[in-house]
Amino acid sequence: MDTKEKLAYILKQFRIEGEILVYRWIPAGHINTAYYVALYNGKEMYQFLVQRVNTYVFRDPVGMMRNIELLTEHVRKAEPKMEKRRRLHFRHTRDRRNYIVLHDGVVMGPGEPFDPLDEHYEFWRVYNFIEYSESFETAEGNPQVLRMSGKAFGRFLKQFSDFDASQLIESIPHFHDTAYRLQAFFETVAADPCGRAAHCAQEIRQIRENADFGCTLCHQIERGELPMRVTHNDTKTNNILFDMDTMDPLVIIDLDTCMPGLACYDFGDTIRFAACTAQEDQPEGMGLDLTLMKAYTEGYLSEAGSVLTHNEIESLATGAAVITLELASRFLMDYLVGDKYFRIDYPEHNLIRARAQLALFRDMMAHMDDMREIIREIAGQQ
Ligand code: GN1
Ligand code: MG
C-alpha cells in the first residue's frame, strides 16, 4: 500500500470517503507525523490533518485521546455557537472513538490490546484542517505575534479555569516535574550509555550548578502554594493558528500534553521559545528579548490576569527560567542516550539545542529582576 492508499484507508475508518486530490507530509514538530489531505467527494472539497501519534513518547495514547475528548467537549459545550475554525474537531469512528490502531496496516477492533512499543502497531487520528490560518516558527521580532500569542494562551487558561484538572491523566508522566527530570538526567550522566558525557562536560556542569534553582517550583507545589490547572505544556507559537489576514488567534493545536500543571510553565515555555533572539537550536546570539517578553505578558495577563492567584503571578518569571533549564537537560539527556526522543537533523543536533537553551537560561537569570518588574507592573495595571 502506498502512502496515498494508506491515508485513504485511514480516513475511511473515520467515515471520510472520496478521491484524494492532494496530500503532503507536514514537517512540523519533533514528535508526531502529520499529513495534510484534501479530498473531493463528487460535490465538495474537504481538508483534514491525518496524524500518526508517536507511541514511544505517548505510551498511553488512548488515555491521551480521552483527555483531548474531555477538553474539546468542554469547549464545545461552553460555546456551542463557536465558529468551526475556532475549535479543534477530532473525527470519530463508527464506534465513537477519536483514534484507530492499525496492526500491520489493518485496523483493529475497539478495546483490542496493543503494544505502544511494537512497531507493527500504528496509532492514528484525524481532525479538521483550519483554512486561511498560519503559525509562527519564531516571532520574527514582531511584538504583535507575542501579544496575540499571549492572548491565545491566556484565554486557554481561562477557558479551563472551571474544569477539574484532576480528570485528566498525565499523558507523559512527570512531564514538567523538573526535580524528576533533573534526577533522570544525572542518572543518565552517571550511566553514560553512549560514551558521550566527556564531550559535554561543560554543559553538564552548568545544569548541575543550577539544579537547586530548577527545583524551586516543585517545592512550591509540595507546600501547596501553587494550584494545579489545565495546562497545555507545549506553548510554542507554532502551536497557535492565527487568521492569515487579521492575526486573530483562532485555535490552539497540539493538545497531546494537556494535563494538570502549573500556569508558569506554560507562560515560561512561550517566553523560552519566542521571546528570544535566536532559534531553539542556535546557541550563537541566543538571549532573552525583553520587548517581546513584555508584549507576551501584556497579551497573557489581559486574559488570564483575572484568574491567576498572586503566587501564580509571582511565579511566572521563575517559570520561564526553569522550563528553559529543564528543556536543556532533556535535549542533553537525549544526546547522551543516543537521540531516541527528539527528531534530529544532524548528529549533534540535541547537543546544540541544549547549548542554545543554556545560553538563554543564563540570560534569563541575568534579567530575572527585569522580568519580575515587567510582570508586576502589567499585573498592577489590570
Ligand atoms: C517537543 O513536537 P513538538 O515540537 O511540539 C516536546 C516539547 C518541547 C519541544 C521543543 C511531547 O514538542 O516538550 O518543548 O519539542 N514535546 C514533547 O521544541 O516532548
Ligand atoms: Mg507541538
Side-chain angles (χ1 to χ4, degrees):
M1 224 194 286
D2 65 16
T3 306
K4 188 173 173 183
E5 283 165 353
K6 186 166 177 178
L7 290 169
Y9 178 76
I10 292 166
L11 284 161
K12 200 169 157 208
Q13 311 308 319
F14 292 93
R15 297 174 294 170
I16 301 165
E17 302 209 34
E19 183 202 344
I20 294 188
L21 301 175
V22 188
Y23 72 94
R24 63 183 145 79
W25 174 64
I26 303 177
H30 301 334
I31 309 284
N32 295 322
T33 309
Y35 293 89
Y36 161 86
V37 184
L39 305 101
Y40 183 67
N41 69 355
K43 276 196 247 147
E44 275 179 280
M45 192 177 93
Y46 292 94
Q47 304 171 88
F48 296 100
L49 285 175
V50 182
Q51 203 174 33
R52 180 176 173 188
V53 174
N54 179 332
T55 50
Y56 176 80
V57 171
F58 297 104
R59 302 283 166 94
D60 178 10
V62 175
M64 175 183 88
M65 290 311 289
R66 187 173 165 275
N67 280 357
I68 291 180
E69 180 86 9
L70 289 171
L71 295 173
T72 48
E73 270 301 289
H74 179 82
V75 173
R76 197 182 60 83
K77 285 198 184 124
E79 292 173 77
K81 295 213 174 84
M82 190 189 275
E83 235 189 300
K84 265 213 156 163
R85 278 176 86 216
R86 291 186 180 274
R87 59 188 172 88
L88 284 190
H89 175 69
F90 284 81
R91 298 287 304 207
H92 288 82
T93 60
R94 227 161 253 113
D95 46 31
R96 299 287 312 153
R97 277 175 300 146
N98 55 2
Y99 65 89
I100 57 161
V101 184
L102 302 181
H103 181 248
D104 287 333
V106 179
V107 70
M108 290 174 58
E112 272 189 72
F114 73 98
D115 178 358
L117 298 179
D118 179 341
E119 281 166 22
H120 292 276
Y121 295 99
E122 296 177 20
F123 195 97
W124 290 84
R125 63 188 175 194
V126 174
Y127 54 99
N128 56 324
F129 174 78
I130 313 282
E131 281 186 59
Y132 306 112
S133 67
E134 63 181 335
S135 69
F136 296 91
E137 278 306 319
T138 68
E140 292 151 12
N142 181 350
Q144 188 64 356
V145 173
L146 269 293
R147 197 168 288 110
M148 288 307 191
S149 301
K151 260 191 186 301
F153 282 116
R155 214 177 274 164
F156 179 89
L157 184 111
K158 207 161 70 175
Q159 211 167 29
F160 295 110
S161 59
D162 61 342
F163 181 99
D164 173 11
S166 68
Q167 290 179 74
L168 303 178
I169 61 144
E170 281 195 299
S171 51
I172 300 180
H174 303 287
F175 192 55
H176 286 326
D177 177 344
T178 313
Y180 174 90
R181 290 274 188 195
L182 289 171
Q183 195 189 331
F185 172 76
F186 293 127
E187 280 165 17
T188 306
V189 171
D192 194 15
C194 302
R196 292 179 170 185
H199 193 54
C200 47
Q202 206 182 325
E203 289 76 15
I204 294 170
R205 199 182 58 238
Q206 270 188 54
I207 294 175
R208 207 182 288 284
E209 282 168 5
N210 290 288
D212 283 347
F213 170 78
C215 298
T216 319
L217 296 166
C218 295
H219 296 325
Q220 280 192 273
I221 297 176
E222 282 162 21
R223 294 198 297 267
E225 291 172 8
L226 296 169
M228 284 293 163
R229 302 219 176 245
V230 174
T231 47
H232 181 276
N233 295 304
D234 191 12
T235 54
K236 303 192 291 193
T237 49
N238 62 5
N239 279 331
I240 308 168
L241 300 184
F242 296 88
D243 185 284
M244 259 182 189
D245 297 327
T246 63
M247 275 252 309
D248 185 24
L250 294 170
V251 71
I252 288 175
I253 56 172
D254 193 355
L255 304 179
D256 298 344
T257 47
C258 286
M259 52 185 136
L262 297 184
C264 64
Y265 279 107
D266 268 5
F267 173 87
D269 208 22
T270 322
I271 303 301
R272 176 194 73 72
F273 182 74
C276 60
T277 51
Q279 304 269 357
E280 199 175 69
D281 55 1
Q282 280 182 336
E284 302 79 25
M286 175 54 105
L288 177 66
D289 183 325
L290 282 172
T291 307
L292 297 180
M293 183 264 163
K294 182 166 183 249
Y296 185 77
T297 308
E298 282 164 359
Y300 182 77
L301 289 180
S302 74
E303 293 284 344
S306 57
V307 175
L308 294 172
T309 66
H310 172 76
N311 282 349
E312 281 178 305
I313 290 177
E314 284 295 306
S315 71
L316 296 178
T318 309
V322 169
I323 197 91
T324 307
L325 181 70
E326 182 191 284
L327 188 61
S329 79
R330 292 175 61 199
F331 282 146
L332 202 57
M333 176 160 146
D334 203 31
Y335 174 72
L336 292 172
V337 299
D339 311 301
K340 291 192 182 336
Y341 189 97
F342 296 103
R343 195 179 297 140
I344 53 169
D345 297 336
Y346 52 88
E348 296 208 327
H349 203 167
N350 276 318
L351 173 58
I352 300 294
R353 284 171 174 149
R355 281 191 187 141
Q357 296 307 300
L358 285 171
L360 179 56
F361 171 73
R362 283 194 301 275
D363 204 37
M364 283 180 172
M365 292 305 272
H367 290 100
M368 186 53 80
D369 288 344
D370 299 325
M371 282 204 279
R372 293 218 166 103
E373 208 171 297
I374 288 171
I375 293 166
R376 283 187 193 134
E377 196 186 316
I378 297 169
Q381 287 161 1
Q382 304 245 313

